[in-house]
Amino acid sequence: MYDVIIIGAGVSGCAAARELSRYQYSTLVLDKCSDVAEGTSKANSGIVHAGFDNEPGSLMAKMNVRGNAMMEQLSKELDFPFIRNGSLVLCFDADDEYKLEDLKKRGEANGVPGLRILSGDQVREMEPNISDKVTAALYAPTGGIVCPFNLTIALAENAADNGVEFRLGTEVTDIKKKDGFYQVVAGGEEYSARVVINAAGVYADKFHNMVSEDKMTIIPRKGEYCLMDSTVGDFVHSTVFQLPTAYGKGVLVTPTVHGNLLTGPTATDIDDKEGVNTTAEGMNELLKKAELSTPNLPRREIITSFSGLRAHRPEHDFVIEEVDGAPGFVDVAGMESPGLSSAPAVGQYVAEIVQGILPAEEKTDFIGTRKGIPQMRYASFDERKKQIEKDPAYGNVICRCCTVTEGEIVNAIHRTLGATTVDGIKRRTGAGMGRCQSGFCNPRVVEILARELGVDEEQITKKGPGSQFLEGYDKEGIRA
Ligand SMILES: Cc1cc2nc3c(=O)[nH]c(=O)nc-3n(C[C@H](O)[C@H](O)[C@H](O)COP(=O)(O)OP(=O)(O)OC[C@H]3O[C@@H](n4cnc5c(N)ncnc54)[C@H](O)[C@@H]3O)c2cc1C
């Protein structure tokens, strides 16, 4: 019997796990994927929104502004990259400038500090690659960028260091309401808990509907992206939006914390909750829209495309509450954008709700900080020298595009909640994220994973069962 079971190891579930780990709870996180951050939390814009476009009074507005304010301190405590680069919302027609004023007023009502309207010339002075057609823009100095998977991994590692148990590759298939607790069926086993947190992303409706008569619908709203090489990471410095549409914040152009340039997303409602393919139409649409903002977008530097699914509720607000008629069952649902920006605040809010249901003492030995993997590409000559003296593997470069060393990869495997897949290595170290998209380093990463985990190379996967690189093994990793 656990005190709390969290379904879903995305940024919402991991933020909740970290906050709950401050208290004397026994907590278990279950996720069907082989790593944390395998759902929407790995494929989004990575923007820490300032919080000006959410409806005043909505949970989205409150969580966004609070989460944004918390992100900088959290990035120091948990050692993940975060940059407050500011954001711009562009207007292309003087007749629409009142919409910028409306956004500014809305932002001020939400408590967003420092909002300013800039003229077209002021915008171009700040960002020379922005279109001549821009007449004005809303500038939000508190907008930021974060690495969505580094954030999620950091939260998860810190939660695990504070005693939270993670069972990955464990799919929840059923939830039964019992007398004063819930029985959660996952991976063929039964787990019991007094409190269940439903943070299952696009599948949160499925679990909500298992315990409630008041049915919830979550529509997967797909967003496709193009990622450009780090050679053009300084094409823009702030995050550049256009005036929002009914489908959301529209197509943006932004630098990433890893020094790349990102453009997207599209917004298309689909039926398939696993439908994360990209399409030629999507790419064409988003590039055309991005070129309205920045006409000289360096298309030749595109190195990959990807897509993610927003957990869209027609009511368009987060649902973070104990479900009516299901005491102890807490939804963290409808976590579309700004779910990433809000995560630090969402974690705290969930912990407050759980405290109300099942009060517990704070731990006296909570570990508030976590150290990331030393990154040789960002280190000074002296830091590199010191690290290589300590461990020569930090001098052996495996990923040439991103200068990721063997030492970093080995660290990623053996740390708390260590990587067991090639994607897990990629997200923790950046190996394979460069221009060649792992063409050179993939076989070396497979080799190191097999060596360090003590398994055959044929058993190493991209992202869990069914994604082996080498032939001759079936879905379960058994030789055919
Ligand atoms: C295109 C796009 C752009 C976005 N841009 C931004 C942005 O710039 N800024 C921002 O703030 N927000 C953004 N968001 C929103 C943000 O990405 C999400 O709010 C956030 O990642 C949601 O996290 P989550 O933990 O709730 O869900 P997820 O990350 O999806 O996690 C849910 C987890 O539940 C697990 N799960 C599901 N079913 C089961 C099961 N049966 N058993 C066990 N586990 C299960 C999944 O494997 C998954 O790991 C964007 C979203 C999209 C799609």
Side-chain angles (χ1 to χ4, degrees), residues 7-14 30-33 35-49 170-173 199-203 206-207 221-225 252 265-266 307-311 318 332 335-342:
I7 306 172
V11 74
S12 308
C14 292
L30 297 168
D31 200 291
K32 64 182 176 140
C33 294
D35 200 354
V36 305
E38 282 276 0
T40 301
S41 298
K42 75 166 187 281
N44 52 62
S45 310
I47 309 302
V48 178
H49 294 291
T170 308
E171 181 169 4
V172 176
T173 47
V202 286
Y203 291 97
K206 175 174 150 183
F207 296 117
R221 179 171 281 179
K222 183 171 18 189
E224 300 183 41
Y225 291 91
L252 57 81
T266 53
S307 82
L309 302 178
R310 306 166 181 88
F318 299 156
V332 185
M335 303 307 290
E336 53 191 307
S337 187
L340 184 71
S341 320
S342 306

Side-chain angles (χ1 to χ4, degrees), residues 108-374:
E108 284 161 354
N110 289 344
V112 180
L115 292 171
R116 273 190 290 149
I117 307 276
L118 305 180
S119 69
D121 287 342
Q122 283 173 316
V123 175
R124 279 179 290 276
E125 201 175 308
M126 210 167 150
E127 295 286 356
N129 284 314
I130 280 180
S131 165
D132 288 346
K133 299 207 170 71
V134 169
T135 61
L138 175 67
Y139 177 59
T142 56
I145 47 177
V146 70
C147 170
F149 29 90
N150 283 170
L151 164 60
T152 308
I153 289 166
L155 289 163
E157 282 183 15
N158 188 238
D161 284 341
N162 283 298
V164 173
E165 231 180 282
F166 282 76
R167 296 219 176 161
L168 302 175
T170 308
E171 181 169 4
V172 176
T173 47
D174 199 10
I175 300 174
K176 294 178 190 129
K177 223 195 279 186
K178 301 281 179 184
D179 196 13
F181 69 98
Y182 290 88
Q183 204 163 60
V184 177
V185 183
E189 307 277 329
E190 283 179 354
Y191 303 90
S192 300
R194 290 179 183 84
V195 176
V196 172
I197 313 286
N198 170 23
V202 286
Y203 291 97
D205 53 351
K206 175 174 150 183
F207 296 117
H208 169 95
N209 295 342
M210 282 181 186
V211 301
S212 175
E213 288 311 311
D214 186 11
K215 300 300 173 195
M216 176 189 282
T217 305
I218 290 184
I219 303 158
R221 179 171 281 179
K222 183 171 18 189
E224 300 183 41
Y225 291 91
C226 283
L227 185 74
M228 282 158 262
D229 199 3
S230 52
T231 47
V232 290
D234 58 357
F235 182 72
V236 290
H237 303 90
S238 4
T239 299
V240 179
F241 298 98
Q242 299 165 359
L243 272 170
T245 69
Y247 271 80
K249 301 178 188 75
V251 167
L252 57 81
V253 181
T254 186
T256 72
V257 285
H258 301 295
N260 297 78
L261 184 70
L262 180 70
T263 184
T266 53
T268 316
D269 290 349
I270 59 171
D271 296 324
D272 181 5
K273 293 194 175 193
E274 300 290 328
V276 288
N277 59 316
T278 54
T279 62
E281 302 81 63
M283 297 294 110
N284 287 332
E285 180 197 327
L286 77 88
L287 289 170
K288 251 195 228 152
K289 286 187 177 162
E291 281 166 353
L292 289 176
S293 302
T294 52
N296 300 321
L297 192 78
R299 285 188 181 212
R300 278 173 56 88
E301 301 300 318
I302 293 171
I303 55 174
T304 190
S305 63
F306 64 91
S307 82
L309 302 178
R310 306 166 181 88
H312 175 65
R313 278 175 67 243
E315 299 83 351
H316 191 58
D317 199 3
F318 299 156
V319 180
I320 309 175
E321 62 190 19
E322 188 176 17
V323 174
D324 236 9
F329 190 95
V330 179
D331 277 333
V332 185
M335 303 307 290
E336 53 191 307
S337 187
L340 184 71
S341 320
S342 306
V346 168
Q348 269 191 355
Y349 194 58
V350 171
E352 283 164 25
I353 294 174
V354 176
Q355 274 286 294
I357 301 170
L358 191 68
E361 295 284 307
E362 273 198 55
K363 286 180 191 159
T364 50
D365 56 353
F366 175 72
I367 306 159
T369 57
R370 162 263 186 200
K371 198 85 205 102
I373 299 169

